[in-house]
Amino acid sequence: MTRRAPLAVPRAIGLVCAVAAAGALVSGCGNSPEKDTGSPRRPVPASASAPASPSSSLSAAQAQRKALVPSATVDYAQAMKAAVAAVPASEPIAAELKGTATNPYWNTSVATSDGTVSDVRVDARTGKAGQPQTESDDSGDKQQLAARLSKATVTAQQAAQTATEKSKGTVTSVELGDSDHGSSDTPAWAVGVVSTSDWNETSYEIDATNRKVLWMHAEQS
């Protein structure tokens, strides 16, 4: 909360006197002592002098999305395509919009059929992919991911389309994982959609074998 300085009472009185003398409406304004009424002057409440800014009603998360989402001219699908091009024989498994309004980027992940994962940072304005960074997962994790990839018949784009058909907005995250709301061995896509009307996010879990919506959570402002 910003503290406002109290009104400069002495300066205000001097200004009134100067104006009065110039207009010859009051004489001797500076010579007559003021009578003490015993009531201190009170500053005017801020709410009475200036309306609240509309942006003040946004939460920190909403304000961040409002600044970040419009700054990205490259969408999740283009970012995933750039990441796949940077890692031969791979397929996309994740993308998330991150950064700031002046430096937005997609944090993407791709995987090969044996479960090897590589992270690729993609500029959200130019679509340029950075140097892939291979994750050092153990053999068990790689086998688990390889099995998940073999079961998943729904692509990231199809999952995102299913989500945006239900919630209009911009896809800001998509990731393949195990289902939390279906069978434990069912692969599922987690998709985040941000509405550009109120900057709230709706999260989806979509079955990666049949595009069925397993779970949805709409953020309330």
Side-chain angles (χ1 to χ4, degrees), residues 10-41:
R11 181 180 176 185
I13 294 173
L15 179 60
V16 171
C17 291
V19 174
L25 297 177
V26 178
S27 61
C29 182
N31 298 324
S32 300
E34 268 197 343
K35 186 179 293 183
D36 187 2
T37 63
S39 300
R41 291 175 179 264

Side-chain angles (χ1 to χ4, degrees), residues 58-102:
L58 296 178
S59 68
Q62 289 172 310
Q64 183 181 31
R65 295 173 195 137
K66 184 178 181 180
L68 178 60
V69 173
S71 70
T73 55
V74 172
D75 65 18
Y76 81 95
Q78 293 170 311
M80 283 183 157
K81 183 177 180 180
V84 168
V87 181
S90 67
E91 56 184 299
I93 58 172
E96 181 180 7
L97 182 61
K98 305 191 78 173
T100 64
T102 56

